[in-house]
Amino acid sequence: MSHPPFSPAQARAARLRIGLTPEQVVAAMAQLGVRRPAEAVTAWESGTAPPSETELFALADAVWCPVPTLMAVRPRSLREHRLARRFSAERLALRIGMAASAYLRAETDHHWSGTDVQTVLLADALDLEPDELLRVIGRAGALDGLLRQAVEGRWKQHTTALARLVDAPERSVAEALRTLHQEYARFGERYRGHLVARSDDARLKEIAGERAGWLHALPDRFLRLVGPHPGPPAA
């Protein structure tokens, strides 16, 4: 397995912030069951050798620093979210009732194949909001595509598929789609109205730009309309 994301600068800053020497850091790590020489801390901070996942977790405890700070990334992938929540792959797999080999395959292949229950447990363990869960397990594209088809055409025929994708009540999804379809239609009405009125190109481009921005934010708006905490998508 590859090494986790790691910032040598953040690690050094965290150690200096609480006034520890490398020797004191490894002593604290040893109390956590991870024994390394002081040279390992020096190597991590200089960027010549990154820590393993186990070393990262122990180092974070030793220097009193959140793991995401030492990673210096905003978690986006399934693995990064797991690391940010301080789970080993094996422990998270056990938590969600999945074989460790199947879970690791999901991380490396970037393809989630968990069951409905496993998906719910994953969202709970990693504290993922619905929109982030969709991105992490690779279904954000499916949501965006279905939503665009719904607002641009007959929204009712997409209700069931979208309700299953986000595991929300069909009634809530239908109400959200009706609202979004109406909002989208208004862009067309405004655009056609300005065409008839022979407005200048700048005004038409402004409406087109507003429509593009609305479409870009469509998944987030849909999830807010469906409810604050819709369930995760089905497998």
Side-chain angles (χ1 to χ4, degrees):
M1 179 177 291
S2 62
H3 289 283
F6 182 72
S7 169
Q10 290 290 352
R12 177 176 170 78
R15 175 176 65 80
L16 295 177
R17 190 159 49 243
I18 58 175
L20 295 182
T21 65
E23 289 75 15
Q24 290 171 321
V25 170
V26 295
M29 291 176 62
Q31 292 180 349
L32 299 169
V34 179
R35 300 182 181 279
R36 300 293 184 272
E39 291 76 16
V41 175
T42 303
W44 298 335
E45 292 183 0
S46 66
T48 57
S52 65
E53 290 186 9
T54 300
E55 292 166 340
L56 174 65
F57 296 156
L59 178 62
D61 284 336
V63 297
W64 290 68
C65 184
V67 169
T69 299
L70 293 183
M71 290 167 59
V73 297
R74 179 179 180 273
R76 299 287 295 180
S77 68
L78 179 56
R79 187 191 185 201
E80 288 171 355
H81 277 283
R82 170 176 64 79
L83 292 171
R85 291 290 170 180
R86 303 172 63 93
F87 280 103
S88 67
E90 292 75 17
R91 190 162 71 90
L92 181 57
L94 181 63
R95 169 83 172 259
I96 66 176
M98 195 175 199
S101 59
Y103 174 80
L104 282 169
R105 188 160 55 249
E107 277 197 357
T108 56
D109 295 347
H110 302 287
H111 176 72
W112 181 249
S113 59
T115 65
D116 290 356
V117 172
Q118 289 168 342
T119 305
V120 169
L121 292 174
L122 179 75
D124 179 68
L126 301 184
D127 195 23
L128 296 171
E129 291 297 325
D131 56 343
E132 190 64 31
L133 177 62
L134 286 167
R135 284 190 286 269
V136 167
I137 64 177
R139 295 182 191 166
L143 175 62
D144 184 67
L146 278 175
L147 284 173
R148 291 194 180 220
Q149 291 177 43
V151 300
E152 292 173 353
R154 299 178 182 273
W155 63 265
K156 290 183 180 180
Q157 68 186 41
H158 298 285
T159 301
T160 300
L162 282 163
R164 176 171 173 74
L165 186 63
V166 298
D167 195 18
E170 286 197 23
R171 181 175 179 178
S172 298
V173 171
E175 291 174 355
L177 290 180
R178 182 184 295 109
T179 298
L180 293 171
H181 188 269
Q182 291 170 349
E183 291 178 0
Y184 183 80
R186 291 191 196 106
F187 284 111
E189 292 168 1
R190 290 170 58 200
Y191 194 86
R192 288 189 296 273
H194 282 280
L195 279 176
V196 172
R198 297 185 179 181
S199 300
D200 58 29
D201 288 345
R203 182 56 182 147
L204 295 175
K205 288 179 180 178
E206 180 182 339
I207 296 172
E210 292 175 7
R211 173 181 172 275
W214 185 88
L215 285 170
H216 180 73
L218 182 57
D220 289 338
R221 173 126 175 81
F222 169 73
L223 291 170
R224 286 196 299 270
L225 287 172
V226 167
H229 297 292

